[in-house]
């Protein structure tokens, strides 16, 4: 990155590795995942999707979440967002419209875990766990990540959302079902994987896409109105 910045001093600005366009958008981008998380948990409990909900805020689990967050930032969220939704997307936008660039970067984003699984299968004899629902999740997740970047104008927001999603999927949606010693929230589900589908996919991904799409459309219309007046 710094080698590229030496050739292009405006690199960080061009890929969005700067502040958000406005404080309001920064606040919305930061608050939205938290609001979706809380509303997902509350509605799941109210509708009977989960029962016997209890927090697990022991020192061990909090330390595990902290270590995993740091690791996820260094090896997952930061490099993926910088290179896919930063450098690559910025280059795609020079040649294609937003929708086409969005679709192309999603294909590249889906190739990352595919390559990782292929290498793990080749060198460590691990099974290839590729399913249709996994590709659907990656596709939708890639859209949500790009929309956070598009709405706020800052790549840091997509990095933040990426981290939020990973930690929620690993330490909240599982609810101790798969590993009781590694969950911030423990509960009983009406069926196995309910919270993964309901919270991680429906609330954190699909509702993020819906809300951000509406906000971006409103923002574009407001910008056009101001331009017409001027």
């Amino acid at each position: 990155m710094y080698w590229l910045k030496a050739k292009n001093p405006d690199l960080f600005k061009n890929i969005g590795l700067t502040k958000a366009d406005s404080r309001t958008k920064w606040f919305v981008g930061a608050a939205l995942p938290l609001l979706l998380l809380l509303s997902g948990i509350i509605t799941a409990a109210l509708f009977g999707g989960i029962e016997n909900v209890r927090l697990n805020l022991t020192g061990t689990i909090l330390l595990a979440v902290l270590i995993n967050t740091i690791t996820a930032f260094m090896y997952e969220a930061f490099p993926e967002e910088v290179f896919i939704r930063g450098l690559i997307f910025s280059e795609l936008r020079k040649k294609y419209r937003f929708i086409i660039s969005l679709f192309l970067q999603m294909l590249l984003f889906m190739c990352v875990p595919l390559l990782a699984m292929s290498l793990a299968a080749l060198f460590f004899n691990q099974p290839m766990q590729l399913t249709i629902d996994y590709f659907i999740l990656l596709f939708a997740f890639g859209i949500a990540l790009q929309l956070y970047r598009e709405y706020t104008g800052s790549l840091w927001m997509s990095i933040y959302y990426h981290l939020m999603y990973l930690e929620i999927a690993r330490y909240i949606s599982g609810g101790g079902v798969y590993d009781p010693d590694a969950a911030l929230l423990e509960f009983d589900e009406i069926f196995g994987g309910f919270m993964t589908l309901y919270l991680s996919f429906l609330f954190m991904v699909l509702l993020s896409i819906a809300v951000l799409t509406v906000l971006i459309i409103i923002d574009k219309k407001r910008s056009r109105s101001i331009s017409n007046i001027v």
Side-chain angles (χ1 to χ4, degrees):
M1 284 177 59
Y2 281 97
W3 178 76
L4 291 172
K5 191 175 186 300
K7 295 179 175 296
N8 179 10
D10 295 327
L11 176 68
F12 289 176
K13 181 180 179 180
N14 293 339
I15 67 175
L17 208 57
T18 53
K19 297 180 180 179
D21 289 342
S22 70
R23 290 185 178 181
T24 301
K25 290 183 178 180
W26 182 276
F27 176 79
V28 172
L32 182 57
L34 293 173
L35 291 174
L36 292 175
L37 169 62
L38 292 175
S39 58
I41 294 172
I42 292 171
T43 55
L46 289 175
F47 296 151
I50 56 175
E51 298 177 341
N52 303 320
V53 182
R54 52 208 178 274
L55 284 172
N56 181 17
L57 299 179
T58 62
T60 302
I61 187 64
L62 293 177
L63 180 60
V65 173
L66 175 61
I67 293 173
N68 188 266
T69 300
I70 295 172
T71 305
F73 172 80
M74 293 190 297
Y75 294 102
E76 295 177 271
F78 186 78
E80 287 182 15
E81 296 310 306
V82 167
F83 286 99
I84 296 176
R85 266 156 290 278
L87 294 170
I88 293 176
F89 187 78
S90 296
E91 290 302 314
L92 290 172
R93 286 290 283 132
K94 293 177 182 179
K95 298 181 180 180
Y96 307 106
R97 297 175 60 184
F98 175 78
I99 296 298
I100 297 176
S101 300
L102 179 63
F103 180 75
L104 291 175
Q105 70 86 5
M106 283 188 297
L107 292 179
L108 293 172
F109 178 60
M110 293 168 68
C111 289
V112 173
L114 178 61
L115 176 61
M117 287 185 182
S118 300
L119 292 174
L122 179 63
F123 293 106
F124 303 105
N125 295 321
Q126 294 185 7
M128 292 281 288
Q129 299 177 340
L130 298 175
T131 59
I132 295 298
D133 56 333
Y134 181 68
F135 279 108
I136 292 174
L137 171 62
L138 285 178
F139 187 82
F141 187 43
I143 294 176
L145 286 165
Q146 192 63 58
L147 291 181
Y148 273 97
R149 158 74 173 85
E150 181 69 15
Y151 175 69
T152 63
S154 174
L155 199 63
W156 288 110
M157 279 294 103
S158 60
I159 294 171
Y160 162 75
Y161 169 70
H162 198 146
L163 277 176
M164 282 282 295
Y165 179 84
L166 291 177
E167 301 313 302
I168 289 169
R170 290 167 181 171
Y171 294 100
I172 295 179
S173 296
V177 175
Y178 304 107
D179 187 357
D181 296 324
L184 279 170
L185 194 70
E186 298 177 353
F187 45 76
D188 299 322
E189 300 176 299
I190 55 173
F191 61 82
F194 169 78
M195 282 297 274
T196 297
L197 179 64
Y198 185 78
L199 179 61
S200 291
F201 185 63
L202 176 60
F203 270 77
M204 296 306 299
V205 177
L206 294 187
L207 285 184
S208 281
I209 293 173
V211 172
L212 289 169
T213 298
V214 172
L215 291 174
I216 289 171
I217 291 173
I218 293 173
D219 195 48
K220 297 290 185 185
K221 288 184 177 180
R222 185 180 297 137
S223 298
R224 288 197 203 98
S225 299
I226 294 174
S227 299
N228 292 333
I229 292 173
V230 175

